[in-house]
Amino acid sequence: MLPIRLCVSAILAGKKPAPLPTIVDPSAVVPMTPPPPKKETVPSPRAGVVWSSGYWKHTNTWFVWCEGHWELSRPGQRYVAPHWDQRADGWHFIGAGWHADGAADHTIMERQAQPFDRLSAFR
């Protein structure tokens, strides 16, 4: 509660408040496997929006479910939903993003096509 009061006081005084420290680092490596996605009812397609499925977000020591939501579509781009990517050092969270239409991310596609090899770094 104190940081909120300080920010409000700073705004009222005409000063820019200092940014609050973030607790969750989205680029942090998580050693444990995220839970399987929850089953969501996917709404029917609508014009001008794209459905983003829900995902597990890691906060401190546990996973929290984030519900699916609509994203405004962008002409000439395709939406990539947030997901978890397993690498040699653990699980990495890949946030949602937009990519140029037709320009597939070959590194992710190749990584998903090949089985995970824990000893690949040592060969």
Side-chain angles (χ1 to χ4, degrees), residues 93-106:
F93 180 72
I94 311 299
W98 292 89
H99 297 282
D101 199 17
D105 188 357
H106 296 291

Side-chain angles (χ1 to χ4, degrees), residues 5-16:
R5 287 184 185 169
L6 291 175
C7 287
V8 171
S9 300
I11 292 171
L12 292 175
K15 297 183 179 185
K16 183 178 177 184

Side-chain angles (χ1 to χ4, degrees), residues 43-51 70-74:
S44 59
R46 299 179 186 172
V49 289
V50 176
W51 177 253
W70 292 105
E71 291 279 340
L72 291 174
S73 61
R74 298 180 183 182

Side-chain angles (χ1 to χ4, degrees), residues 47-115:
V49 289
V50 176
W51 177 253
S52 176
S53 300
Y55 62 93
W56 288 103
K57 178 173 68 171
H58 187 262
T59 57
N60 297 334
T61 57
W62 62 82
F63 289 94
V64 177
W65 179 252
C66 296
E67 298 285 333
H69 61 278
W70 292 105
E71 291 279 340
L72 291 174
S73 61
R74 298 180 183 182
Q77 296 184 355
R78 65 177 173 82
Y79 180 73
V80 178
H83 61 279
W84 287 92
D85 188 21
Q86 186 178 18
R87 300 180 189 166
D89 58 346
W91 290 86
H92 293 253
F93 180 72
I94 311 299
W98 292 89
H99 297 282
D101 199 17
D105 188 357
H106 296 291
T107 58
I108 291 176
M109 293 177 126
E110 290 170 5
R111 196 176 301 133
Q112 289 174 350
Q114 297 175 354

